[in-house]
Amino acid sequence: EPEVTQTPSHQVTQMGQEVILRCVPISNHLYFYWYRQILGQKVEFLVSFYNNEISEKSEIFDDQFSVERPDGSNFTLKIRSTKLEDSAMYFCASTRGEPLHFGNGTRLTVT
Amino acid sequence: GQQLNQSPQSMFIQEGEDVSMNCTSSSIFNTWLWYKQDPGEGPVLLIALYKAGELTSNGRLTAQFGITRKDSFLNISASIPSDVGIYFCAGQIGTSYGKLTFGQGTILTVHP
């Protein structure tokens, strides 16, 4: 069964640095998402992306965050000037109209 | 924003027992979903519900979309050790496709 793949599985960065989290959605999917899960807490919506533009974003997704689909297969989340509180699991998801398929996440640790 | 209240927070049961968990909200959702998350992995869809009153099964799992569209429950029958994990409900409002609101999760432990 096709999967959403995310790299890296674990990223450690220093506060203030920029990170790019990468995702390869399922190939025939059209809608792409990023979600975040702080350790021990619930999964939270960050942003949805369709037709090469953001369709909706949460209040968490401020100017520090950006998303891009640089080519036909990758979908990235960039976090500029990371803060300690950005430490979390970041999940990419995609769909073509049925329920979301999630990747296994990237664990971001900001030190 | 919308909030989902999921209960119980955790459950410790013996293998073979049945399990029930539920989610309630003050908001109306058009879709209810139940996901399971294993350690270090992403949520995996168990059951999707699209209509008020809908009752859907997936093997030993049964879920229902409440008539008021503000609640849903998930039942697991005859639990087995591999049922261990965190179960999340998630709701979607029709105008915000793919924007899911998740519950806080139910941690399930099954003792052999």
Side-chain angles (χ1 to χ4, degrees):
Chain A
E1 184 175 326
E3 291 181 342
V4 176
T5 57
Q6 291 185 243
T7 55
S9 57
H10 192 188
Q11 173 94 43
V12 181
T13 190
Q14 287 192 323
M15 197 166 51
Q17 296 295 307
E18 175 182 287
V19 295
I20 297 177
L21 310 183
R22 303 180 190 279
C23 169
V24 179
I26 296 173
S27 62
N28 61 351
H29 285 186
L30 302 175
Y31 303 85
F32 313 110
Y33 307 84
W34 284 100
Y35 281 77
R36 179 182 82 174
Q37 185 179 33
I38 294 172
L39 185 64
Q41 298 186 22
K42 64 181 180 180
V43 180
E44 300 174 289
F45 170 81
L46 291 178
V47 65
S48 57
F49 190 88
Y50 171 72
N51 201 26
N52 281 322
E53 62 182 22
I54 290 173
S55 42
E56 194 159 0
K57 59 184 180 180
S58 72
E59 57 275 10
I60 302 169
F61 194 90
D62 59 21
D63 292 343
Q64 182 194 7
F65 295 89
S66 61
V67 290
E68 194 176 34
R69 187 155 162 82
D71 53 43
S73 60
N74 290 285
F75 180 51
T76 62
L77 174 68
K78 182 189 290 185
I79 310 175
R80 287 180 283 276
S81 189
T82 49
K83 304 188 288 274
L84 293 176
E85 53 265 38
D86 294 328
S87 296
M89 284 288 288
Y90 288 82
F91 293 106
C92 174
S94 70
T95 182
R96 61 176 179 179
E98 75 287 5
L100 301 189
H101 295 256
F102 286 86
N104 280 335
T106 292
R107 178 172 297 285
L108 177 66
T109 302
V110 182
T111 61
Chain B
Q2 294 79 28
Q3 296 266 1
L4 290 184
N5 298 309
Q6 185 172 348
S7 64
Q9 281 190 316
S10 61
M11 302 183 74
F12 298 84
I13 62 171
Q14 290 293 128
E15 183 177 0
E17 289 183 0
D18 297 343
V19 170
S20 185
M21 59 193 78
N22 69 86
C23 275
T24 60
S25 174
S26 57
S27 302
I28 290 175
F29 288 93
N30 291 347
T31 302
W32 281 93
L33 306 164
W34 285 91
Y35 285 89
K36 182 189 178 200
Q37 185 179 29
D38 291 327
E41 298 186 11
V44 174
L45 181 70
L46 299 174
I47 292 181
L49 303 159
Y50 299 104
K51 287 169 50 178
E54 180 181 354
L55 183 71
T56 297
S57 293
N58 178 9
R60 294 178 295 106
L61 278 59
T62 301
Q64 184 158 31
F65 191 146
I67 288 291
T68 64
R69 294 165 65 192
K70 294 182 178 181
D71 63 302
S72 176
F73 72 74
L74 173 71
N75 288 340
I76 305 172
S77 63
S79 58
I80 58 178
S82 62
D83 289 335
V84 164
I86 305 176
Y87 292 79
F88 289 98
C89 62
Q92 178 178 291
I93 294 177
T95 56
S96 300
Y97 189 76
K99 180 184 177 184
L100 302 181
T101 299
F102 279 80
Q104 301 96 320
T106 295
I107 302 171
L108 179 63
T109 304
V110 180
H111 294 289

